[in-house]
Amino acid sequence: MAYDGLTDEEDPDLDSHRLGNFKQGWTCAVEGQEYNKVLDELKWNNLGWRLGTLFDDTSEEMKEELFEWCVRQQKENTDHE
């Protein structure tokens, strides 16, 4: 299954809520919760969930660093379109 990734046009979380959504998804993964929402679109919440399933419990600093890297990567990709 292919994912298009987060884009400015499709990203409903471009406001200040995206970090919270990212961390919420990560926390759900660490707690062993299944992701009940559709995973066919890449959103900040399910991106956090996916990374949480890979990396498990991680410091807030590391989560935020990875989140910021993702934001920069998203911006770089949309700037080249």
Side-chain angles (χ1 to χ4, degrees):
M1 182 181 300
Y3 299 98
D4 289 330
L6 296 167
T7 65
D8 287 336
E9 296 82 32
E10 298 173 1
D11 184 2
D13 298 325
L14 283 175
D15 58 14
S16 62
H17 297 259
R18 60 186 177 177
L19 176 58
N21 288 336
F22 179 81
K23 286 182 175 182
Q24 179 185 42
W26 195 305
T27 298
C28 289
V30 170
E31 292 175 352
Q33 297 178 29
E34 292 296 320
Y35 200 87
N36 295 325
K37 297 178 184 175
V38 178
L39 290 175
D40 58 357
E41 291 183 293
L42 187 57
K43 307 284 188 193
W44 288 102
N45 189 280
N46 68 33
L47 176 60
W49 183 84
R50 293 164 199 255
L51 294 172
T53 62
L54 290 173
F55 300 125
D56 202 29
D57 198 17
T58 304
S59 71
E60 291 297 309
E61 180 181 16
M62 291 296 292
K63 287 179 201 170
E64 290 175 13
E65 186 177 321
L66 186 52
F67 170 80
E68 291 300 329
W69 180 88
C70 291
V71 170
R72 288 190 309 273
Q73 184 66 35
Q74 177 191 29
K75 181 174 177 8
E76 184 173 310
N77 286 342
T78 55
D79 286 348
H80 290 110
E81 292 177 353

